[in-house]
């Protein structure tokens, strides 16, 4: 799809880009700090994502930049590769980002965008919920002004109650103010105030309170006796360079031959690619003009962006759903909104670097805790339960596997659990990776797709590719009367395909579901022959 020229909608895109910049700036800083990177690393990622990826990508309305979903992967890489040396870990991780970006670029050229469908929905949702839990556990101590305890994820979570008993009142008040704003701001009815992004209010209130409490001079108080194993933070404000040029760092490839390095590469590539593809597909559903992204082109562009970002000291980037949604709400019409967002970020850090140094870390932590809660909210568990007990079980298994090991291993365990569940239901081993279906003409401009056996997350890519090639404006009928089992991922795909095909002017029907028993209360729950 040819990108619209700048002259087409530059006013709408300029306005949307500015509003997205207001949302992105504090999140970029917070994500970088939480990832164990310098704050400027998040800014670099947003600039590269906006100025470069927007021009070579395959999406119209997505905003590209650092995302909370990658915090866990990057922080783990910094700690593992650095062996206690934060700067060394940072530079080794930059090298991993460059290699991961190169892999993403290659995957895009080989049209691997469709492989995102191979990951079952329950495992993806479990991964996101686990990331949310880890973000919350890492950022709550920052909101209290103390250092997090525990070497592993689980030990850190267990140590939270003990750590949070002792906190700095000034820091806690700043964080609490941020949370109150994030919860209450959407309920404000005044039209002009509603146009101001809540993250900007969080940062503004944090700067004001930080000035009142003189955070640049604040030292941990002695209002109570603190156990020796509880340590207060050493500083409470963002540390930001005076010059943009001094913030560039080169990657260190000296650990290229180690297993830990390649584990980091695969994790960055897997999570970044999966989040980008899922976000881009989700944004397409919000596009008022019903345009569709070239996911392979978008994956290539993100990969190239990650290579560039990693080479100069930046975080990896994805097509980010929250900022993309804000872009659409603000009237963004093309990828130039993403370009302008990156331009505004660059302009701000060049003109006002000193202002960034007055932002309290507690305010950024409040933004991230709120983001983590949205990823791991009770509604996420309720939705899984609504899809059926086995979906809830897979969701929870994935969460605990990630918390007990790491993100990559946890996702693989979730996928293995899903496959074992299907084997336990009697699905033949050959059917796990191969689907049986026939595409037949059913009259002029009419097609019928007869599916038999088991239609699963692990075998439906061939079906997805086949129906993607059908022309618009025809009649497509899915005949599922001969299927023995349809899992949630395939149910979701068929339902979304039907909605999209009808929106493009065609007719799409689903036959045969009445012969199958739903395994949950949700309309898209897995179904099995009675």
């Amino acid at each position: 799809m040819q990108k619209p020229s700048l002259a087409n909608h530059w006013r709408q895109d300029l306005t949307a880009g500015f509003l997205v910049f207001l949302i992105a700036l504090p999140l970029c800083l917070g994500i970088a700090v939480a990832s164990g990177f310098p704050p400027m690393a998040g800014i670099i990622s947003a600039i590269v994502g906006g100025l470069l990826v927007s021009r070579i990508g395959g999406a119209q309305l997505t905003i590209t930049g650092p995302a909370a979903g990658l915090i866990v992967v990057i922080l783990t890489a910094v700690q593992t590769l650095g062996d206690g040396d934060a700067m060394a870990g940072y530079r080794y991780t930059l090298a991993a980002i460059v290699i991961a970006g190169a892999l993403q670029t290659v995957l895009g050229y080989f049209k691997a965008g469709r492989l995102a469908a191979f990951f079952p929905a329950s495992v993806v949702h479990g991964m996101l919920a686990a990331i949310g839990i880890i973000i919350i556990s890492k950022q709550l101590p920052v909101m209290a002004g103390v250092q997090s305890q525990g070497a592993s994820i689980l030990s850190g979570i267990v140590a939270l109650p003990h750590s949070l008993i002792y906190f700095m009142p000034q820091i806690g008040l700043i964080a609490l103010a941020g949370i109150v704003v994030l919860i209450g701001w959407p309920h404000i009815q005044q039209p002009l105030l509603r146009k101001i992004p809540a993250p900007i209010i969080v940062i503004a209130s944090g700067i004001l309170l930080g000035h009142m409490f003189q955070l640049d001079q604040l030292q941990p108080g002695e209002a109570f006796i603190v156990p020796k194993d509880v340590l207060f933070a050493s500083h409470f404000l963002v540390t930001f360079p005076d010059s943009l040029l001094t913030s560039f760092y080169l990657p260190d490839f000296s650990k290229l031959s180690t297993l830990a390095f390649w584990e980091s590469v695969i994790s960055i590539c897997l999570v970044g690619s999966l989040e980008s593809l899922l976000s881009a597909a989700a944004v397409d559903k919000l596009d008022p003009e019903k345009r569709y992204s070239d996911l392979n082109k978008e994956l290539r562009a993100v990969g190239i962006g990650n290579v560039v970002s990693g080479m100069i000291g930046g975080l990896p980037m994805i097509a980010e759903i929250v900022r993309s949604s804000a872009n659409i709400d603000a009237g963004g019409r093309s990828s130039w909104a993403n370009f302008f967002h990156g331009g505004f970020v660059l302009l701000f850090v060049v003109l006002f670097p000193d202002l960034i140094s007055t932002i309290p870390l507690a305010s950024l932590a409040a933004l991230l805790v709120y983001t983590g809660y949205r990823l791991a909210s009770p509604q996420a568990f309720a939705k899984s339960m609504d899809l059926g007990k086995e979906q809830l079980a897979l969701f929870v298994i994935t969460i605990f596997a990630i918390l007990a090991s790491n993100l990559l291993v946890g996702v693989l365990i979730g996928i293995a659990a899903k496959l074992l569940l299907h084997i336990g239901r009697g699905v033949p081993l050959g059917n796990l990776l191969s689907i049986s279906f026939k595409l037949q003409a059913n009259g002029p401009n009419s097609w019928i797709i007869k599916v038999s056996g088991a239609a699963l997350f692990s075998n439906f890519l061939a079906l997805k590719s086949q129906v993607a090639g059908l022309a618009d404006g025809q009649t497509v009928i899915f005949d599922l009367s001969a299927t023995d089992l349809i899992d949630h991922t395939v149910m979701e795909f068929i339902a979304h395909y039907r909605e999209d095909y009808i929106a493009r002017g065609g007719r799409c029907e689903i036959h045969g579901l009445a012969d199958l028993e739903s395994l949950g209360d949700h309309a898209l729950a897995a179904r099995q022959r009675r």
Side-chain angles (χ1 to χ4, degrees):
M1 179 185 296
Q2 186 176 4
K3 289 185 179 291
S5 67
L6 177 60
N8 289 349
H9 309 291
W10 71 269
R11 290 181 179 84
Q12 297 97 316
D13 288 335
L14 184 67
T15 302
F18 179 74
L19 290 174
V20 172
F21 144 72
L22 294 178
I23 297 172
L25 181 67
L27 290 174
C28 291
L29 294 169
I31 291 167
V33 173
S35 300
F37 271 34
M40 190 63 193
I43 299 296
I44 291 172
S45 177
I47 293 172
V48 173
L51 300 185
L52 174 63
V53 176
S54 71
R55 308 321 320 137
I56 62 176
Q60 293 292 341
L61 296 176
T62 57
I63 300 298
T64 317
L70 285 169
I71 289 175
V72 177
V73 177
I74 300 301
L75 181 61
T76 301
V78 171
Q79 294 174 339
T80 303
L81 298 177
D83 294 323
D85 187 334
M87 179 52 68
Y90 166 46
R91 295 187 60 208
Y92 292 137
T93 304
L94 289 178
I97 292 170
V98 172
I99 301 298
L103 288 178
Q104 288 176 313
T105 305
V106 172
L107 289 173
Y109 275 111
F110 282 96
K111 302 186 183 302
R114 63 178 188 157
L115 293 179
F118 183 79
F119 295 87
S122 53
V123 173
V124 173
H125 295 153
M127 177 190 76
L128 294 175
I131 288 171
I133 292 171
I134 296 170
I135 290 173
I136 292 171
S137 69
K138 294 292 186 181
Q139 293 303 305
L140 280 177
V142 180
M143 292 175 62
V146 299
Q147 297 181 22
S148 60
Q149 305 294 316
S152 67
I153 296 172
L154 284 179
S155 63
I157 294 174
V158 171
L160 273 179
H162 176 64
S163 299
L164 297 180
I165 290 175
Y166 307 94
F167 64 93
M168 298 193 65
Q170 302 95 321
I171 305 302
L173 182 59
I174 291 172
L176 179 61
I179 294 295
V180 169
V181 168
L182 291 169
I183 294 174
W185 201 254
H187 300 289
I188 289 180
Q189 301 300 319
Q190 216 286 330
L192 290 178
L193 289 178
R194 284 178 62 88
K195 290 184 178 181
I196 304 174
I200 288 297
I201 304 301
V202 172
I203 297 304
S205 63
I207 291 175
L208 178 62
L209 290 172
H211 181 71
M212 289 174 55
F213 296 144
Q214 296 182 319
L215 291 193
D216 56 337
Q217 304 174 24
L218 186 64
Q219 298 293 326
E222 299 179 354
F224 37 66
I225 299 175
V226 180
K228 293 182 179 179
D229 60 343
V230 175
L231 301 175
F232 285 109
S234 58
H235 62 281
F236 307 102
L237 297 173
V238 172
T239 303
F240 202 76
D242 296 330
S243 168
L244 182 63
L245 294 177
T246 62
S247 62
F248 294 137
Y249 288 88
L250 296 176
D252 186 341
F253 292 91
S254 60
K255 288 204 171 184
L256 190 65
S257 60
T258 65
L259 177 61
F261 179 87
W262 284 100
E263 285 180 353
S264 299
V265 168
I266 294 172
S267 296
I268 294 168
C269 182
L270 170 66
V271 178
S273 300
L274 189 57
E275 280 207 71
S276 281
L277 293 170
L278 293 175
S279 296
V283 172
D284 284 347
K285 298 182 187 302
L286 303 175
D287 186 354
E289 299 182 31
K290 302 299 179 185
R291 292 166 293 185
Y292 287 86
S293 300
D294 183 337
L295 295 182
N296 294 309
K297 188 176 181 181
E298 183 70 7
L299 183 58
R300 291 198 301 268
V302 169
I304 293 170
N306 283 335
V307 171
V308 174
S309 182
M311 286 299 297
I312 58 177
L315 279 167
M317 66 197 68
I318 69 163
E320 209 279 330
I321 182 66
V322 175
R323 275 159 264 170
S324 300
S325 300
N327 177 38
I328 294 172
D329 293 340
R333 302 290 294 277
S334 75
S335 59
W336 283 103
N338 189 15
F339 179 88
F340 287 131
H341 132 266
F344 280 121
V345 172
L346 174 59
L347 188 64
F348 185 87
V349 298
V350 169
L351 296 178
F352 308 108
D354 293 340
L355 184 59
I356 295 177
S357 299
T358 64
I359 299 174
L361 294 173
S363 295
L364 299 180
L367 290 173
L368 294 175
V369 166
Y370 185 72
T371 301
Y373 175 78
R374 292 173 64 180
L375 291 173
S377 68
Q379 288 83 352
F381 288 82
K383 181 180 178 181
S384 293
M385 182 62 188
D386 198 29
L387 290 169
K389 294 181 180 178
E390 79 285 347
Q391 297 297 319
L392 178 62
L394 291 168
F395 178 79
V396 173
I397 286 171
T398 303
I399 291 174
F400 277 103
I402 290 173
L403 296 180
S405 55
N406 59 53
L407 196 141
L408 182 60
V409 171
V411 168
L412 293 177
I413 289 174
I415 293 174
K418 179 81 167 181
L419 293 173
L420 289 174
L421 175 65
H422 290 324
I423 293 173
R425 284 178 171 155
V427 176
L429 291 178
N431 200 179
L432 286 176
L433 297 176
S434 177
I435 191 172
S436 177
F437 72 93
K438 292 181 179 179
L439 176 65
Q440 301 174 341
N442 191 41
N445 298 321
S446 180
W447 301 91
I448 185 168
I449 303 150
K450 294 186 176 181
V451 184
S452 58
L456 313 171
F457 79 95
S458 55
N459 68 12
F460 86 109
L461 286 180
L463 172 64
K464 182 177 182 180
S465 298
Q466 185 75 66
V467 300
L470 297 177
D472 294 343
Q474 303 187 66
T475 297
V476 177
I477 298 173
F478 287 93
D479 183 357
L480 307 177
S481 57
T483 55
D484 300 318
L485 174 67
I486 310 174
D487 73 4
H488 164 61
T489 303
V490 181
M491 284 291 300
E492 190 173 57
F493 160 69
I494 293 175
H496 289 167
Y497 179 87
R498 176 179 177 274
E499 293 175 4
D500 293 343
Y501 197 76
I502 292 173
R504 300 199 304 269
R507 178 184 173 194
C508 186
E509 299 177 359
I510 303 173
H511 296 171
L513 289 179
D515 300 326
L516 302 173
E517 179 183 5
S518 178
L519 299 179
D521 296 330
H522 197 278
L524 301 181
R527 295 178 183 246
Q528 189 173 24
R529 185 160 299 282
R530 300 177 189 276

